[in-house]
Amino acid sequence: MAVSLREYRARIKSTESMKKITRAMELIAASRIIKAQQRAQSAAPYARELTRAVSAVATYSNVDHPLTTEPEDPKRAAILVITSDRGLAGAYSSSVLKEAERLRTRLEDEGKEVDTYISGRKGEAYFRFRNRPIVEAWTGHSDQPNFEVAEAIGHSLIGAFINDEPEARTIQDHGQDREVPPGVDEVHVVFTQFRSMLVQEPRDIRLLPLEVVEGEEMPESDEVLPLYEFEPSPEEVLDGLLPKYVQSRIFFALLQAAASELAARQKAMKSATDNADELIKKYTRTANQARQAGITQEISEIVGGVNALADAQAGSE
Amino acid sequence: MSDDTLHVELVAADRLVWSGEATVVNARTAGGEIGILANHMPVLSLLEAGVIEVETADGETWLAAVDDGFISVAANRVSILASHADLAQDIDAGEARSELERVRGEDDDHRTNAEVRRLEARIRAAERAS
């Protein structure tokens, strides 16, 4: 026996305590998924009303807004990648990052330069490790996103989209020089959509320029949109609505990503617990074998010793 | 839906704050204070940070603080949307006041102005409710 019984016992013990941890993480993730889904549900009325209002303005006025105008000859794109803050969630972050890389290659093939924006520590670490530039990163909220984060992200992305400067420049921000990348012509978001507890899909959507999604969540077709009076004016109302619409889409993506992250973590922790179970079984078997081998060896030593003694006595007589 | 009440929904970005039947809704829009009664014409208007006052169908009145958002009125349905909205009874005026002091001390003008307006609305709502 290469390893003694004592060592096997130690291994069983450490695997058992590991199992306790993964089991706890599994249960925590499971209980948080429910909360994350509730949060996604309670954000739905806002998104629904906002979509109604935006389509009302879009239907009854022919307003061109910078956020909805397709730029001619787009040269630069921004990607917002939504990853998790913590690992131990299986392939969750890496599959989002893979999707982001695919999108980046596609955009680059179309001759666009790509700026990266990150949400979540894992994505940030991925880019920093490879020494690739990140324009801005937001971290520390991936499993419980709040609307403030969505607002901040929306503010930055809209700023980058509206900015028409073709060159990077430096501005004064809080007394420090801050590099502002050139304005982008389109903004994409890569996140993981929560389809069910078992299926989460990385997806990319184009956030800007906005296409007001008429099909999604439209009021029932028999309901005619009323002839609204816009105050102060359709342009100004649209001006106020569209950034909020963008923020609400980002918030939606963050909430979906949070639910997906927790589901992925629960799945990963469940299989870790199952593996620990199997390991414990295997170690217990080998430990029993080692114990049995020890006993057999002791018996044969005693028998051998007795025989040797008997032989010696027989010889001396 | 009856003809003399409004169906009101106050929605914040992350939750539905209040919904129910009401007779009067008072809000502050970009164009000034508006009061909405049943059978109001359809309006879509930008909302400024301020206090919403709603008289419910049971004759009670409640107040809420909202920040920038908008209000839409159509077919006796009123939707009030804001990034943040809180009913006055859920607001701690003291806390909002000390927060206001702290924000005023900051030197980031653009952010501070919005924040100050938001907090002032909260304080006003809490004071009027008590």
Side-chain angles (χ1 to χ4, degrees):
Chain A
M1 275 287 123
V3 188
S4 76
L5 186 55
R6 199 159 41 87
E7 267 172 71
Y8 277 122
R9 292 240 163 93
R11 274 191 210 172
I12 292 173
K13 247 196 179 151
S14 75
T15 318
E16 256 165 8
S17 55
M18 223 157 357
K19 182 184 143 192
K20 269 180 207 155
I21 296 169
T22 55
R23 175 112 194 110
M25 288 180 79
E26 181 194 337
L27 294 175
I28 292 170
S31 76
R32 285 204 183 146
I33 290 176
I34 299 167
K35 268 188 228 150
Q37 277 174 315
Q38 278 168 353
R39 220 173 289 137
Q41 261 165 20
S42 45
Y46 185 78
R48 190 189 62 226
E49 291 298 318
L50 208 49
T51 314
R52 267 178 70 104
V54 172
S55 34
V57 191
T59 320
Y60 287 103
S61 59
N62 287 320
V63 198
D64 275 330
H65 192 272
L67 291 184
T68 55
T69 323
E70 298 268 347
E72 296 165 30
D73 183 25
K75 278 199 205 59
R76 230 183 148 83
I79 305 183
L80 169 70
V81 191
I82 301 179
T83 64
S84 65
D85 278 333
R86 290 184 299 147
L88 295 179
Y92 171 76
S93 281
S94 72
S95 53
V96 177
L97 287 166
K98 235 183 263 165
E99 181 71 27
E101 293 294 350
R102 253 201 300 277
L103 177 64
R104 161 191 285 271
T105 324
R106 204 186 76 213
L107 292 173
E108 279 173 350
D109 286 347
E110 288 169 11
K112 296 166 193 158
E113 278 182 77
V114 178
D115 284 341
T116 316
Y117 293 76
I118 299 275
S119 156
R121 236 169 257 136
K122 281 281 150 189
E124 197 188 10
Y126 176 89
F127 279 87
R128 294 241 188 275
F129 180 70
R130 285 164 182 76
N131 270 328
R132 287 170 36 187
I134 301 174
V135 182
E136 210 168 338
W138 297 269
T139 55
H141 54 77
S142 82
D143 54 354
Q144 313 190 332
N146 52 24
F147 194 67
E148 277 75 26
V149 183
E151 271 181 322
I153 296 176
H155 186 75
S156 276
L157 291 180
I158 292 172
F161 184 73
I162 288 180
N163 178 3
D164 283 331
E165 298 285 326
E167 300 293 327
R169 67 211 154 93
T170 326
I171 57 158
Q172 288 278 319
D173 187 21
H174 290 107
Q176 284 172 335
D177 283 347
R178 195 163 70 94
E179 179 103 358
V180 174
V184 297
D185 303 313
E186 47 190 62
V187 177
H188 298 257
V189 182
V190 183
F191 69 104
T192 313
Q193 182 147 32
F194 182 85
R195 291 231 176 273
S196 70
M197 293 294 274
L198 292 173
V199 184
Q200 297 94 38
E201 249 180 357
R203 267 190 66 190
D204 58 272
I205 53 169
R206 196 183 75 171
L207 190 66
L208 290 169
L210 269 179
E211 304 155 77
V212 176
V213 219
E214 303 267 352
E216 213 178 348
E217 304 239 16
M218 256 303 265
E220 302 82 74
S221 50
D222 57 326
E223 183 189 345
V224 183
L225 283 169
L227 211 57
Y228 282 107
E229 174 109 335
F230 298 105
E231 275 180 24
S233 67
E235 289 82 10
E236 278 171 78
V237 172
L238 204 58
D239 232 21
L241 281 184
L242 288 181
K244 292 202 183 294
Y245 186 64
V246 172
Q247 284 164 359
S248 136
R249 302 275 306 256
I250 295 173
F251 192 44
F252 168 78
L254 286 174
L255 288 169
Q256 289 279 321
S260 305
E261 180 192 337
L262 291 166
R265 176 163 299 132
Q266 193 209 356
K267 214 164 35 171
M269 288 301 111
K270 171 147 181 42
S271 59
T273 312
D274 291 351
N275 285 345
D277 262 336
E278 222 151 89
L279 259 185
I280 290 170
K281 221 190 247 168
K282 206 175 107 198
Y283 281 145
T284 315
R285 294 229 168 98
T286 19
N288 286 347
Q289 256 171 25
R291 183 172 51 94
Q292 201 56 55
I295 294 169
T296 314
Q297 199 183 353
E298 262 172 49
I299 292 175
S300 61
E301 272 166 12
I302 292 168
V303 172
V306 170
N307 280 350
L309 272 178
D311 284 353
Q313 271 173 4
S316 68
E317 272 170 19
Chain B
M1 204 178 293
S2 67
D3 280 347
D4 47 2
T5 58
L6 296 156
H7 182 73
V8 180
E9 279 186 358
L10 174 59
V11 186
D14 48 0
R15 69 207 162 96
L16 179 65
V17 180
W18 190 86
S19 89
E21 304 297 316
T23 50
V24 188
V25 176
N26 281 314
R28 213 175 112 193
T29 69
E33 203 68 46
I34 61 168
I36 295 158
L37 298 170
N39 301 319
H40 193 280
M41 67 189 288
V43 164
L44 193 66
S45 174
L46 291 178
L47 213 57
E48 281 191 346
V51 182
I52 304 281
E53 190 178 353
V54 174
E55 210 168 289
T56 66
D58 323 330
E60 283 170 41
T61 304
W62 57 260
L63 297 159
V66 296
D67 64 354
D68 296 1
F70 68 98
I71 179 167
S72 89
V73 183
N76 282 343
R77 247 179 69 106
V78 181
S79 316
I80 306 160
L81 275 85
S83 316
H84 305 276
D86 287 293
L87 293 183
Q89 69 229 35
D90 300 335
I91 299 173
D92 182 342
E95 199 178 297
R97 236 175 249 125
S98 53
E99 183 87 345
L100 184 62
E101 288 300 310
R102 191 182 60 73
V103 172
R104 280 213 172 111
E106 287 176 14
D107 54 351
D108 184 348
D109 276 347
H110 185 70
R111 208 183 74 89
T112 312
N113 279 339
E115 195 82 331
V116 165
R117 276 205 308 275
R118 191 175 76 83
L119 288 165
E120 279 174 351
R122 288 172 71 91
I123 295 170
R124 262 205 312 280
E127 276 173 355
R128 276 174 58 182
S130 55

